[in-house]
DNA sequence: TCGTCAATTATGTCTATACATTATCGGCGA
DNA sequence: TCGCCGATAATGTATAGACATAATTGACGA
């Protein structure tokens, strides 16, 4: 491994922390010490320490020094894949079946609840995602036409509105709620399940700045779908 | 806002990307151009671009230049709350009720399935998390005693093993799978639900380096619990 | 026409230096 | 004893220059 020096310094200190050689709260050598230890300039050491600080492994305080961070309240990265991609990757055929497409006038309770634009019209789209013609998930989506006027012209007979939005509309904030619910009669009918069957329920809202773009509620067939979240060195095969 | 220059450059370019001024795949100005544009040295520009690359927003290629990255799958930050904290924060009383505590010898199918140490013994802990004495979730946990020998001495009559592990054992990698399942007879009994009721199922494994530490399977009462994932500067009050 | 190779160009790493910023420490005075 | 305050020691930011590295481009030759 021919790592650049700052990477080498970073990884050595990281290893010390992860293996417990350096314990949370303890102080690291100063940049000046490390610079002598590795025989390099302060900038190089600083780069290594900054990277560690960026990763949350250490905390740097002026005048005081650098300290191993205490284990934080942790969060993980949740991949939100495009359903079409995911299904195709499984070797199945993807299809989106549009079941409803309406314009919702502003001011209705439905529009208000979605937390989207108070003023403009909303486009409501309902449909089912099918893998080899078997329902995998159904969704009910509201899109602010004020934020995405082009949306009104899209047909979505076959293409999913989620994929289209992902490609064409940039967003800056999103929030996803994940729960487990029993299939209602409506959902059960769409997913060809029995009423009361467990469904993974995902509700997502996205914004650009403070402007709401879309809200979507999806019910996944519980037995056929799961989400995965990760923390740490991404996409590493277990055991390498 | 008195940001340092490299932060200012970073955030301006970031804004351009998020608002769609710079579209995925398009090329950014070269470091040399930006250096003239901002009237600073190349190191400063480079630092800003490196930060963006680290965040996955742009991709840098030697000789070719820097490009706005195409997002393959959106990832969001999933908060993994400590159940005790969460329940107390709701204004309820937290209790962990231990229902089983066994040493699992190495080599059993159970141990193998968990993907933990092949060699050492495992500690198996089962119990229920209660909020005001109402079951919220049940869990079945396996801990590698080779990785965490101190665990054997802990009682866990009242304290949850998850909270203890979080505080005392550092980890470097974790994977969480989230699904919706129907309550089995065993789970239903523990959670005081009817068989078949929807449960949010969470399975998490953690490692330190390549050494497996623990695996836990939790079933949450579907009607009482949900997870939230976020992207962006949010922390938005629902309805603001 | 097509493949090869070298020149070019943009990023990657590193140094030595300078000055800014800020929390801590220790001393001085009330 | 206590509080204020300046000296100090650490990190934070930035510069200008040097050389390394790698991929694209284009020119040259078969």
């Amino acid at each position: 491994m021919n790592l650049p020096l700052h990477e080498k310094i970073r990884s050595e200190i990281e290893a010390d922390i992860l293996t417990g050689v350096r314990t949370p709260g303890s102080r690291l050598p100063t940049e000046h010490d490390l610079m002598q230890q590795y025989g390099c300039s302060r900038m190089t050491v600083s780069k290594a320490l900054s990277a560690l600080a960026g990763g949350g492994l250490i905390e740097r305080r002026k005048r005081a020094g650098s300290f191993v961070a205490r284990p934080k309240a942790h969060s993980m990265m949740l991949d939100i894949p495009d359903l079409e991609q995911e299904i195709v990757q499984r070797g199945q055929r993807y299809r989106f079946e549009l079941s409803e497409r309406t314009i919702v006038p502003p001011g209705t309770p439905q529009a208000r609840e979605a937390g989207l634009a108070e003023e403009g019209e909303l486009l409501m789209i309902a449909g089912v995602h099918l893998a080899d013609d078997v329902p995998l998930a159904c969704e009910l989506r509201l899109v602010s036409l004020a934020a995405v006027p082009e949306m009104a012209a899209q047909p979505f007979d076959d293409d999913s509105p989620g994929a289209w939005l992902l490609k064409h509309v940039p967003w800056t904030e999103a929030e996803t709620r994940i729960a487990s619910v029993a299939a209602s009669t409506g959902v059960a009918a769409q997913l060809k399940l029995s009423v009361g069957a467990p469904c993974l329920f995902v509700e997502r809202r996205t914004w650009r700045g403070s402007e709401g773009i879309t809200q979507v509620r999806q019910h996944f067939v519980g037995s056929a779908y799961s989400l995965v979240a990760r923390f740490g060195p991404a996409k590493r095969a277990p055991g390498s």
Side-chain angles (χ1 to χ4, degrees), chain A:
Chain A
M1 290 229 262
N2 241 341
L3 293 176
L5 186 49
H6 69 91
E7 283 285 348
K8 185 188 163 195
I9 299 173
R10 191 197 57 75
S11 70
E12 284 189 11
I13 296 177
E14 185 181 72
D16 281 354
I17 294 173
L18 294 179
T19 55
V21 174
R22 298 193 184 280
T23 55
S26 68
R27 201 182 132 164
L28 294 178
T30 66
E31 292 187 347
H32 191 79
D33 290 344
L34 288 169
M35 159 187 161
Q36 290 208 323
Q37 182 179 328
Y38 286 96
C40 64
S41 77
R42 210 189 115 218
M43 276 296 292
T44 304
V45 170
S46 184
K47 194 167 183 178
L49 294 182
S50 294
L52 287 167
L57 263 129
I58 69 171
E59 192 193 339
R60 313 190 70 187
R61 296 212 308 272
K62 284 184 188 171
R63 162 67 185 157
S66 299
F67 299 83
V68 178
R70 299 179 186 279
K72 39 178 186 183
H74 57 301
S75 38
M76 307 176 72
M77 294 302 287
L78 176 70
D79 290 329
I80 309 281
D82 175 28
L83 258 182
E84 174 165 1
Q85 268 189 357
E86 178 131 335
I87 288 172
V88 168
Q89 212 156 28
R90 287 195 210 174
Q92 297 179 302
R93 189 161 29 88
Y94 172 81
R95 193 157 62 84
F96 179 74
E97 198 175 277
L98 190 69
S99 63
E100 200 182 335
R101 185 205 174 94
T102 327
I103 302 280
V104 180
T108 60
Q110 199 177 23
R112 191 150 301 160
E113 186 204 355
L116 296 176
E118 296 280 317
E119 309 278 307
E121 291 179 322
L122 301 181
L123 178 63
M124 185 177 88
I125 295 173
V128 183
H129 299 268
L130 304 130
D132 281 346
D133 293 319
V134 176
L136 178 67
C138 61
E139 76 172 55
L140 179 62
R141 181 183 292 271
L142 290 166
V143 182
S144 163
L145 285 176
V148 197
E150 318 89 285
M151 192 87 186
Q154 292 297 316
F156 301 123
D157 321 306
D158 205 52
D159 206 6
S160 100
W164 187 88
L165 277 167
L166 211 77
K167 259 183 240 141
H168 295 83
V169 184
W171 45 272
T172 61
E173 287 175 61
E175 183 182 298
T176 301
R177 181 168 295 272
I178 302 159
S180 172
V181 302
S184 65
T185 48
V187 167
Q190 286 185 84
L191 297 183
K192 298 200 168 72
L193 293 172
S194 47
V195 174
C199 294
L200 193 66
F201 172 71
V202 173
E203 181 188 83
R204 177 158 45 251
R205 293 156 193 247
T206 62
W207 293 268
R208 184 171 51 220
S210 61
E211 181 183 35
I213 297 176
T214 182
Q215 183 217 52
V216 60
R217 292 182 168 162
Q218 300 174 315
H219 290 259
F220 290 87
V221 175
S223 58
Y225 198 78
S226 63
L227 292 167
V228 174
R230 288 206 173 72
F231 180 91
K235 59 185 172 192
R236 198 166 75 186
S240 77

